[in-house]
Coordinates of all heavy atoms in Angstrom, one line a residue:
A1 N 119.5 80.5 98.8 CA 118.9 81.9 98.6 C 119.9 83.0 99.0 O 120.5 82.8 100.1 CB 117.7 82.0 99.6
Q2 N 119.9 83.9 98.3 CA 120.9 85.0 98.4 C 120.3 85.9 99.6 O 119.1 86.1 99.7 CB 121.0 85.8 97.2 CG 122.1 87.0 97.3 CD 122.2 87.7 95.9 OE1 121.5 87.3 95.0 NE2 123.1 88.7 96.0
K3 N 121.2 86.4 100.4 CA 120.8 87.2 101.6 C 120.8 88.7 101.2 O 121.7 89.0 100.5 CB 121.7 87.0 102.7 CG 121.6 85.5 103.3 CD 120.7 85.5 104.4 CE 120.8 84.1 104.9 NZ 119.8 84.0 106.1
Y4 N 120.2 89.5 101.8 CA 120.1 91.0 101.5 C 121.2 91.5 102.6 O 121.4 90.9 103.6 CB 118.7 91.5 101.7 CG 118.3 91.7 103.0 CD1 118.5 92.8 103.8 CD2 117.6 90.6 103.5 CE1 117.9 92.8 105.1 CE2 117.0 90.6 104.9 CZ 117.3 91.7 105.6 OH 116.7 91.8 106.9
T5 N 121.6 92.7 102.1 CA 122.5 93.5 103.1 C 121.7 94.5 103.9 O 121.0 95.3 103.4 CB 123.6 94.3 102.1 OG1 124.2 93.4 101.3 CG2 124.6 95.1 103.1
K6 N 121.8 94.3 105.2 CA 121.0 95.1 106.2 C 121.3 96.6 106.1 O 120.5 97.4 106.1 CB 121.0 94.4 107.5 CG 120.2 93.2 107.7 CD 120.2 92.9 109.1 CE 119.4 91.6 109.2 NZ 119.2 91.2 110.7
V7 N 122.7 96.9 106.2 CA 123.2 98.2 106.2 C 124.1 98.4 105.0 O 125.2 97.8 104.9 CB 123.9 98.5 107.5 CG1 124.5 100.0 107.5 CG2 123.0 98.3 108.7
C8 N 123.6 99.0 104.0 CA 124.3 99.1 102.8 C 125.4 100.3 102.8 O 125.0 101.3 103.2 CB 123.4 99.5 101.5 SG 122.2 98.1 101.2
S9 N 126.6 99.9 102.5 CA 127.7 101.0 102.5 C 128.0 101.6 101.1 O 128.8 102.5 101.0 CB 128.9 100.3 103.1 OG 129.4 99.2 102.3
N10 N 127.4 101.0 100.0 CA 127.6 101.5 98.7 C 126.5 101.2 97.8 O 125.5 100.4 98.2 CB 128.9 101.0 98.0 CG 128.8 99.5 98.0 OD1 128.0 98.9 97.5 ND2 130.0 98.9 98.5
D11 N 126.4 101.8 96.6 CA 125.3 101.7 95.6 C 125.1 100.2 95.2 O 124.0 99.8 94.9 CB 125.4 102.6 94.5 CG 125.1 104.1 94.9 OD1 124.6 104.2 96.0 OD2 125.3 104.9 94.1
F12 N 126.3 99.5 95.1 CA 126.2 98.1 94.6 C 125.4 97.2 95.6 O 124.6 96.5 95.1 CB 127.7 97.5 94.5 CG 128.4 98.2 93.4 CD1 129.6 99.0 93.8 CD2 128.2 98.3 92.0 CE1 130.3 99.7 92.8 CE2 128.9 98.8 91.1 CZ 129.9 99.5 91.4
Q13 N 125.5 97.4 96.8 CA 124.8 96.6 97.8 C 123.3 97.1 97.7 O 122.4 96.2 97.9 CB 125.3 96.9 99.2 CG 126.7 96.2 99.5 CD 127.3 96.6 100.8 OE1 127.0 97.7 101.3 NE2 128.1 95.7 101.3
K14 N 123.1 98.3 97.5 CA 121.7 98.8 97.4 C 120.9 98.1 96.1 O 119.9 97.7 96.3 CB 121.6 100.3 97.3 CG 122.1 101.1 98.6 CD 122.0 102.6 98.4 CE 122.6 103.2 99.5 NZ 122.7 104.7 99.3
I15 N 121.7 98.1 95.1 CA 121.2 97.5 93.8 C 121.0 96.1 94.0 O 120.0 95.5 93.6 CB 122.2 97.8 92.6 CG1 122.1 99.4 92.2 CG2 121.9 97.0 91.5 CD1 123.1 99.8 91.2
D16 N 121.8 95.4 94.7 CA 121.6 94.0 94.9 C 120.4 93.7 95.8 O 119.6 92.9 95.5 CB 122.9 93.4 95.7 CG 124.0 93.1 94.9 OD1 123.8 92.9 93.6 OD2 125.2 92.9 95.3
N17 N 120.3 94.5 96.8 CA 119.0 94.4 97.7 C 117.7 94.6 96.8 O 116.8 93.8 96.9 CB 119.0 95.4 98.8 CG 119.9 95.0 99.9 OD1 120.4 93.8 99.9 ND2 120.2 95.8 100.8
I18 N 117.8 95.6 95.9 CA 116.6 96.0 95.2 C 116.3 94.8 94.1 O 115.2 94.4 93.9 CB 116.8 97.3 94.4 CG1 116.8 98.5 95.4 CG2 115.6 97.5 93.3 CD1 117.4 99.8 94.7
N19 N 117.4 94.3 93.5 CA 117.3 93.2 92.6 C 116.7 92.0 93.3 O 115.9 91.2 92.6 CB 118.6 92.8 92.0 CG 119.0 93.8 90.8 OD1 118.1 94.5 90.3 ND2 120.2 94.0 90.6
L20 N 117.0 91.7 94.5 CA 116.5 90.6 95.3 C 115.0 90.8 95.4 O 114.2 89.9 95.3 CB 117.1 90.5 96.6 CG 118.4 89.8 96.7 CD1 119.1 89.9 98.1 CD2 118.3 88.3 96.4
A21 N 114.5 92.1 95.8 CA 113.1 92.3 96.0 C 112.3 92.1 94.7 O 111.2 91.5 94.7 CB 113.0 93.7 96.5
L22 N 113.0 92.7 93.6 CA 112.2 92.6 92.3 C 112.2 91.2 91.8 O 111.1 90.8 91.3 CB 113.0 93.4 91.3 CG 112.9 95.0 91.4 CD1 113.8 95.6 90.4 CD2 111.5 95.4 91.3
A23 N 113.2 90.4 92.1 CA 113.1 88.8 91.8 C 112.1 88.2 92.5 O 111.5 87.3 91.9 CB 114.5 88.3 92.1
W24 N 111.9 88.6 93.9 CA 110.9 88.1 94.6 C 109.5 88.3 94.1 O 108.7 87.4 94.1 CB 111.0 88.4 96.1 CG 110.0 87.8 97.0 CD1 110.1 86.6 97.7 CD2 108.7 88.3 97.4 NE1 109.0 86.5 98.4 CE2 108.1 87.5 98.3 CE3 107.9 89.6 97.0 CZ2 106.8 87.6 98.9 CZ3 106.8 89.7 97.6 CH2 106.2 88.8 98.5
F25 N 109.3 89.6 93.7 CA 108.0 90.0 93.1 C 107.8 89.2 91.8 O 106.7 88.9 91.5 CB 107.9 91.4 92.9 CG 107.6 92.3 94.1 CD1 108.4 93.1 94.7 CD2 106.3 92.1 94.8 CE1 108.2 93.8 95.8 CE2 106.0 92.8 95.9 CZ 106.9 93.5 96.5
K26 N 108.9 89.1 91.0 CA 108.6 88.3 89.8 C 108.3 86.9 89.9 O 107.4 86.3 89.2 CB 110.0 88.4 88.9 CG 109.9 87.8 87.6 CD 111.1 87.9 86.7 CE 111.0 87.4 85.3 NZ 112.2 87.6 84.5
K27 N 108.9 86.2 90.9 CA 108.5 84.8 91.3 C 107.0 84.8 91.8 O 106.5 83.8 91.6 CB 109.5 84.5 92.5 CG 109.3 83.0 92.7 CD 110.5 82.5 93.6 CE 110.3 83.0 95.0 NZ 111.3 82.5 96.1
K28 N 106.5 85.9 92.3 CA 105.1 85.9 92.7 C 104.2 86.2 91.6 O 103.0 86.4 91.9 CB 104.9 86.9 94.0 CG 105.8 86.5 95.2 CD 105.1 85.2 95.8 CE 105.9 84.9 97.0 NZ 105.5 83.7 97.7
G29 N 104.7 86.6 90.4 CA 103.8 86.8 89.3 C 103.7 88.2 89.0 O 102.8 88.5 88.1
V30 N 104.4 89.0 89.5 CA 104.3 90.6 89.3 C 105.4 90.8 88.1 O 106.5 90.6 88.2 CB 104.8 91.4 90.4 CG1 104.7 92.9 90.1 CG2 103.8 91.2 91.6
Q31 N 104.8 91.1 86.9 CA 105.6 91.5 85.7 C 105.7 92.9 85.6 O 104.9 93.6 85.5 CB 104.9 90.9 84.5 CG 104.8 89.4 84.5 CD 106.1 88.6 84.6 OE1 107.1 89.0 84.0 NE2 106.1 87.5 85.3
T32 N 107.0 93.3 85.7 CA 107.3 94.8 85.6 C 108.6 94.9 84.7 O 109.5 94.1 84.6 CB 107.5 95.4 87.0 OG1 107.7 96.8 87.0 CG2 108.5 94.7 87.8
T33 N 108.8 96.2 84.3 CA 109.9 96.5 83.6 C 110.8 97.5 84.3 O 111.7 98.0 83.7 CB 109.6 97.2 82.3 OG1 108.7 98.3 82.5 CG2 108.7 96.2 81.3
I34 N 110.5 97.8 85.5 CA 111.3 98.6 86.3 C 112.7 98.1 86.5 O 112.8 97.0 86.8 CB 110.6 99.1 87.5 CG1 111.4 100.3 88.3 CG2 110.6 97.9 88.6 CD1 110.5 101.1 89.3
A35 N 113.7 99.0 86.6 CA 115.1 98.6 86.9 C 115.5 99.0 88.3 O 114.9 99.9 88.8 CB 116.0 99.1 85.9
S36 N 116.4 98.3 88.9 CA 116.9 98.6 90.2 C 117.4 100.0 90.3 O 117.3 100.8 91.2 CB 117.8 97.6 90.8 OG 118.9 97.6 89.9
Q37 N 118.0 100.5 89.1 CA 118.6 101.8 88.9 C 117.5 102.9 89.1 O 117.8 103.9 89.6 CB 119.3 102.0 87.6 CG 120.4 103.0 87.6 CD 121.6 102.7 88.6 OE1 122.0 101.5 88.7 NE2 122.2 103.7 89.1
D38 N 116.3 102.6 88.7 CA 115.2 103.6 88.8 C 114.9 103.8 90.3 O 114.8 105.1 90.7 CB 113.9 103.1 88.2 CG 114.0 103.0 86.6 OD1 114.6 104.0 86.0 OD2 113.4 102.1 86.1
F39 N 115.0 102.9 91.1 CA 114.8 103.1 92.5 C 115.9 103.8 93.2 O 115.7 104.7 93.9 CB 114.6 101.7 93.4 CG 113.3 101.0 93.1 CD1 113.1 100.0 92.3 CD2 112.2 101.5 93.9 CE1 111.9 99.4 92.1 CE2 110.9 100.9 93.7 CZ 110.8 99.9 92.8
L40 N 117.2 103.5 92.7 CA 118.2 104.0 93.3 C 118.4 105.6 92.9 O 118.7 106.4 93.7 CB 119.6 103.3 92.8 CG 120.9 103.8 93.6 CD1 120.9 103.4 95.0 CD2 122.1 103.0 92.8
N41 N 118.0 105.9 91.7 CA 118.1 107.2 91.3 C 116.8 108.0 91.6 O 116.8 109.2 91.3 CB 118.2 107.4 89.7 CG 119.6 106.7 89.3 OD1 120.5 106.7 90.0 ND2 119.6 106.3 88.0
G42 N 115.8 107.4 92.3 CA 114.6 108.1 92.6 C 113.8 108.5 91.4 O 113.1 109.6 91.5
N43 N 113.8 107.8 90.4 CA 112.9 108.1 89.2 C 111.4 107.8 89.5 O 110.9 106.7 89.6 CB 113.3 107.3 87.9 CG 114.7 107.6 87.4 OD1 115.2 108.7 87.7 ND2 115.4 106.5 86.8
I44 N 110.7 108.8 89.7 CA 109.4 108.8 90.3 C 108.4 108.1 89.5 O 107.5 107.4 90.0 CB 108.9 110.2 90.8 CG1 107.7 110.1 91.8 CG2 108.6 111.0 89.6 CD1 108.1 109.6 93.1
R45 N 108.4 108.4 88.2 CA 107.4 107.8 87.4 C 107.4 106.3 87.4 O 106.4 105.7 87.6 CB 107.4 108.3 85.9 CG 107.0 109.8 85.8 CD 107.0 110.2 84.3 NE 106.0 109.6 83.6 CZ 104.8 110.1 83.3 NH1 104.5 111.4 83.7 NH2 104.0 109.4 82.6
P46 N 108.6 105.6 87.0 CA 108.6 104.2 87.2 C 108.3 103.6 88.5 O 107.6 102.6 88.6 CB 110.0 103.8 86.6 CG 110.7 105.0 86.5 CD 109.8 106.1 86.6
I47 N 108.8 104.3 89.5 CA 108.5 103.9 91.0 C 107.0 103.9 91.3 O 106.5 102.9 91.8 CB 109.4 104.7 92.0 CG1 110.8 104.4 91.7 CG2 108.9 104.3 93.3 CD1 111.6 105.4 92.6
L48 N 106.4 105.0 90.8 CA 105.0 105.1 91.2 C 104.2 104.0 90.2 O 103.2 103.4 90.6 CB 104.3 106.4 90.8 CG 104.8 107.5 91.9 CD1 104.3 108.9 91.3 CD2 104.2 107.2 93.1
G49 N 104.7 103.8 89.0 CA 104.1 102.7 88.1 C 104.1 101.4 88.8 O 103.2 100.5 88.8
F50 N 105.3 101.1 89.4 CA 105.5 99.8 90.1 C 104.5 99.7 91.2 O 104.0 98.6 91.4 CB 107.0 99.6 90.5 CG 107.3 98.5 91.3 CD1 107.4 97.2 90.7 CD2 107.4 98.5 92.6 CE1 107.6 96.1 91.4 CE2 107.7 97.3 93.4 CZ 107.8 96.2 92.7
F51 N 104.5 100.7 92.0 CA 103.5 100.6 93.2 C 102.1 100.5 92.7 O 101.3 99.8 93.4 CB 103.9 101.8 94.2 CG 105.0 101.5 95.0 CD1 106.2 102.3 94.9 CD2 105.1 100.5 95.9 CE1 107.3 102.1 95.6 CE2 106.3 100.2 96.6 CZ 107.3 101.0 96.5
W52 N 101.8 101.2 91.7 CA 100.4 101.1 91.2 C 100.1 99.6 90.7 O 99.0 99.1 90.9 CB 100.2 102.1 90.0 CG 98.9 102.0 89.3 CD1 98.6 101.6 88.1 CD2 97.7 102.4 90.0 NE1 97.2 101.7 87.9 CE2 96.6 102.2 89.0 CE3 97.3 102.8 91.2 CZ2 95.3 102.4 89.3 CZ3 95.9 103.0 91.6 CH2 95.0 102.7 90.5
L53 N 101.0 99.0 90.1 CA 101.0 97.6 89.7 C 100.7 96.8 90.8 O 99.9 95.8 90.8 CB 102.1 97.2 89.0 CG 102.2 95.8 88.3 CD1 101.3 95.7 87.1 CD2 103.6 95.5 87.9
L54 N 101.4 97.0 91.9 CA 101.2 96.2 93.2 C 99.9 96.4 93.9 O 99.3 95.4 94.3 CB 102.4 96.4 94.2 CG 103.7 96.1 93.9 CD1 104.7 96.7 95.0 CD2 103.9 94.7 93.6
I55 N 99.4 97.6 93.8 CA 98.1 97.9 94.4 C 97.0 97.2 93.5 O 96.2 96.5 94.1 CB 97.9 99.4 94.4 CG1 98.7 100.2 95.4 CG2 96.4 99.7 94.5 CD1 98.6 101.6 95.3
Q56 N 97.2 97.4 92.2 CA 96.2 96.6 91.4 C 96.2 95.1 91.6 O 95.2 94.4 91.8 CB 96.5 96.8 89.9 CG 96.1 98.3 89.5 CD 96.5 98.5 88.0 OE1 97.5 98.2 87.6 NE2 95.4 98.9 87.2
K57 N 97.4 94.5 91.7 CA 97.5 93.0 91.9 C 97.0 92.7 93.1 O 96.2 91.7 93.2 CB 98.9 92.6 91.5 CG 99.1 91.0 91.7 CD 100.3 90.7 91.3 CE 100.7 89.1 91.5 NZ 99.8 88.3 90.6
Y58 N 97.5 93.2 94.2 CA 97.2 92.7 95.5 C 95.9 93.1 96.1 O 95.3 92.4 96.8 CB 98.3 92.9 96.5 CG 99.5 92.0 96.1 CD1 100.7 92.6 95.5 CD2 99.5 90.6 96.3 CE1 101.8 91.8 95.1 CE2 100.5 89.9 95.9 CZ 101.7 90.4 95.3 OH 102.8 89.6 94.9
Q59 N 95.5 94.3 95.7 CA 94.1 94.7 96.2 C 93.0 93.9 95.6 O 92.1 93.5 96.1 CB 93.9 96.2 95.8 CG 92.6 96.8 96.2 CD 92.4 96.9 97.8 OE1 93.5 97.2 98.4 NE2 91.3 96.8 98.3
L60 N 93.1 93.5 94.3 CA 92.1 92.9 93.6 C 92.2 91.4 94.2 O 91.2 90.7 94.3 CB 92.4 92.9 92.1 CG 92.0 94.2 91.4 CD1 92.5 94.0 90.0 CD2 90.7 94.6 91.5
M61 N 93.4 90.9 94.5 CA 93.5 89.4 94.9 C 93.0 89.4 96.3 O 92.2 88.4 96.5 CB 94.9 89.0 95.0 CG 95.6 88.8 93.6 SD 97.4 88.3 93.7 CE 97.3 87.1 94.9
S62 N 93.2 90.3 97.1 CA 92.6 90.2 98.5 C 91.1 90.4 98.5 O 90.5 90.0 99.5 CB 93.2 91.3 99.3 OG 93.0 92.6 99.1
N63 N 90.5 91.1 97.6 CA 89.1 91.3 97.5 C 88.4 90.2 96.7 O 87.1 90.4 96.6 CB 88.8 92.7 97.1 CG 89.2 93.7 98.1 OD1 88.8 93.6 99.3 ND2 89.9 94.8 97.7
N64 N 89.0 89.4 96.1 CA 88.3 88.3 95.2 C 87.3 87.6 96.1 O 86.3 87.0 95.6 CB 89.2 87.5 94.5 CG 89.8 88.1 93.2 OD1 89.1 89.0 92.7 ND2 90.9 87.5 92.7
S65 N 87.6 87.3 97.3 CA 86.7 86.6 98.1 C 85.4 87.4 98.7 O 84.4 86.9 99.1 CB 87.4 86.1 99.4 OG 87.8 87.1 100.1
M66 N 85.4 88.7 98.4 CA 84.4 89.5 98.8 C 83.2 89.5 97.7 O 83.4 88.8 96.7 CB 84.8 91.0 98.9 CG 85.7 91.2 100.1 SD 86.1 93.0 100.2 CE 86.7 93.0 101.8
S67 N 82.2 90.2 97.9 CA 81.0 90.1 96.9 C 81.2 90.9 95.8 O 80.2 91.1 94.9 CB 79.7 90.5 97.6 OG 79.8 91.8 98.1
F68 N 82.3 91.7 95.6 CA 82.6 92.5 94.4 C 83.1 91.8 93.2 O 83.9 90.9 93.4 CB 83.6 93.6 94.7 CG 83.2 94.5 95.9 CD1 83.8 94.4 97.1 CD2 82.4 95.4 95.7 CE1 83.5 95.2 98.2 CE2 82.0 96.3 96.7 CZ 82.6 96.1 98.0
A69 N 82.6 92.1 92.2 CA 83.2 91.6 90.9 C 84.5 92.3 90.7 O 84.7 93.4 91.0 CB 82.3 91.9 89.7
P70 N 85.5 91.6 90.1 CA 86.9 92.3 89.9 C 86.8 93.6 89.1 O 87.5 94.5 89.4 CB 87.7 91.2 89.0 CG 86.9 89.8 89.4 CD 85.5 90.2 89.7
Q71 N 85.9 93.7 88.2 CA 85.8 94.9 87.3 C 85.2 96.0 88.3 O 85.8 97.3 88.2 CB 84.8 94.8 86.2 CG 85.3 93.9 85.1 CD 84.9 92.4 85.5 OE1 84.2 92.1 86.4 NE2 85.5 91.4 84.7
E72 N 84.3 95.7 89.2 CA 83.8 96.8 90.1 C 84.9 97.2 91.1 O 85.0 98.3 91.4 CB 82.7 96.2 90.9 CG 81.4 96.0 90.1 CD 80.4 95.3 90.8 OE1 80.6 94.9 92.1 OE2 79.3 95.0 90.4
M73 N 85.7 96.2 91.5 CA 86.9 96.5 92.4 C 87.8 97.5 91.8 O 88.4 98.4 92.4 CB 87.3 95.2 92.9 CG 88.1 95.4 94.4 SD 86.8 95.9 95.5 CE 88.0 96.8 96.6
E74 N 88.2 97.0 90.5 CA 89.2 97.7 89.8 C 88.7 99.2 89.7 O 89.5 100.2 89.8 CB 89.5 97.1 88.5 CG 90.6 97.8 87.7 CD 90.9 97.1 86.4 OE1 90.4 95.8 86.3 OE2 91.7 97.6 85.6
G75 N 87.5 99.4 89.3 CA 86.9 100.8 89.2 C 87.0 101.6 90.5 O 87.3 102.7 90.5
S76 N 86.8 100.9 91.6 CA 86.9 101.6 92.9 C 88.2 102.0 93.3 O 88.5 103.2 93.8 CB 86.3 100.7 94.0 OG 87.0 99.6 94.3
I77 N 89.3 101.2 92.8 CA 90.7 101.7 93.0 C 91.0 102.8 92.1 O 91.6 103.8 92.6 CB 91.6 100.5 92.6 CG1 91.5 99.4 93.6 CG2 93.1 101.0 92.7 CD1 92.2 98.1 93.2
Y78 N 90.5 102.8 90.9 CA 90.8 104.1 90.1 C 90.1 105.3 90.6 O 90.7 106.4 90.6 CB 90.3 103.8 88.6 CG 91.1 102.8 87.9 CD1 90.6 101.6 87.5 CD2 92.5 103.1 87.6 CE1 91.5 100.7 86.8 CE2 93.2 102.2 86.9 CZ 92.7 101.0 86.5 OH 93.5 100.1 85.8
D79 N 88.9 105.0 91.1 CA 88.1 106.3 91.7 C 88.9 106.7 93.0 O 89.0 108.0 93.1 CB 86.7 105.8 92.1 CG 85.9 105.5 90.9 OD1 86.2 105.8 89.7 OD2 84.8 104.9 91.0
W80 N 89.3 105.8 93.8 CA 90.0 106.3 94.9 C 91.3 107.1 94.7 O 91.6 108.2 95.2 CB 90.5 105.1 95.7 CG 91.2 105.4 97.0 CD1 90.8 105.7 98.3 CD2 92.7 105.4 97.1 NE1 91.8 105.9 99.1 CE2 93.0 105.8 98.5 CE3 93.7 105.0 96.3 CZ2 94.4 105.8 98.9 CZ3 95.1 105.2 96.8 CH2 95.3 105.6 98.1
V81 N 92.1 106.5 93.7 CA 93.4 107.3 93.4 C 93.0 108.6 92.7 O 93.5 109.6 93.0 CB 94.1 106.5 92.3 CG1 95.4 107.2 91.6 CG2 94.8 105.3 92.9
Q82 N 92.0 108.7 91.8 CA 91.5 110.0 91.2 C 91.2 110.9 92.2 O 91.4 112.1 92.1 CB 90.4 109.5 90.3 CG 90.7 110.3 88.9 CD 89.5 110.0 88.0 OE1 88.4 109.2 88.3 NE2 89.5 110.3 86.8
N83 N 90.4 110.5 93.2 CA 90.1 111.4 94.3 C 91.2 111.9 95.1 O 91.2 113.1 95.4 CB 89.1 110.6 95.2 CG 88.5 111.5 96.3 OD1 88.1 112.5 96.0 ND2 88.5 111.0 97.5
Y84 N 92.1 111.2 95.3 CA 93.3 111.6 96.1 C 94.3 112.5 95.4 O 95.2 113.2 96.0 CB 93.9 110.4 96.9 CG 93.2 110.1 98.1 CD1 92.1 109.1 98.1 CD2 93.4 110.8 99.4 CE1 91.4 108.9 99.1 CE2 92.6 110.5 100.4 CZ 91.5 109.6 100.3 OH 90.8 109.3 101.4
V85 N 94.4 112.3 94.1 CA 95.4 113.1 93.2 C 94.8 114.2 92.6 O 95.6 115.0 91.9 CB 96.1 112.2 92.4 CG1 97.0 111.1 93.0 CG2 95.3 111.7 91.3
K86 N 93.6 114.6 92.7 CA 93.0 115.6 92.0 C 93.5 116.9 92.2 O 93.4 117.9 91.4 CB 91.4 115.6 92.1 CG 91.0 115.9 93.6 CD 89.5 115.9 93.7 CE 89.1 116.1 95.2 NZ 87.8 115.8 95.6
D87 N 94.0 117.1 93.4 CA 94.6 118.5 93.7 C 96.1 118.7 93.4 O 96.6 119.7 93.6 CB 94.3 118.8 95.2 CG 92.9 118.9 95.7 OD1 92.2 119.3 94.7 OD2 92.7 118.4 96.8
Y88 N 96.6 117.6 92.7 CA 98.1 117.7 92.4 C 98.4 117.8 91.0 O 97.7 117.6 90.1 CB 98.8 116.4 92.9 CG 98.7 116.3 94.4 CD1 97.9 115.5 95.1 CD2 99.6 117.0 95.2 CE1 97.8 115.4 96.5 CE2 99.6 116.9 96.6 CZ 98.6 116.1 97.2 OH 98.6 116.0 98.6

């Protein structure tokens, strides 16, 4: 297993760290098209899309044991986000 660089001194080390994280998520079943360069450059749309994907996947997974149906839970996530971004 490849190790990450704790204190990055250049962009190449940062990209390697990001690629390690993205590979870990891919191994866990998170399918995404975001590139490590998007994180490094601060491209907000793909970054927010990636985090939205994580929220959907892991929020729904953690609540599957509750009494909510997945469709109801998904709706509540959308409602929550809509409520918090309505002023932006």
Side-chain angles (χ1 to χ4, degrees):
Q2 188 178 354
K3 297 266 184 177
Y4 70 94
T5 306
K6 287 186 180 184
V7 179
C8 299
S9 59
N10 59 50
D11 287 348
F12 296 111
Q13 292 172 330
K14 292 175 187 176
I15 288 174
D16 282 342
N17 284 351
I18 296 166
N19 283 334
L20 280 173
L22 291 174
W24 184 84
F25 280 115
K26 185 175 183 179
K27 190 169 70 172
K28 297 292 182 184
V30 176
Q31 298 299 323
T32 183
T33 58
I34 193 166
S36 55
Q37 203 68 33
D38 290 323
F39 285 101
L40 192 63
N41 294 337
N43 295 337
I44 196 72
R45 288 184 71 101
I47 293 170
L48 289 176
F50 176 73
F51 284 113
W52 178 245
L53 183 69
L54 293 179
I55 289 169
Q56 286 179 309
K57 180 173 179 63
Y58 290 107
Q59 180 70 31
L60 291 175
M61 284 177 55
S62 68
N63 287 315
N64 276 342
S65 61
M66 295 182 166
S67 61
F68 298 105
Q71 296 82 10
E72 293 171 356
M73 204 58 210
E74 185 175 348
S76 67
I77 293 170
Y78 289 116
D79 293 341
W80 178 84
V81 169
Q82 227 175 4
N83 183 46
Y84 279 91
V85 299
K86 67 182 174 194
D87 296 329
Y88 295 100

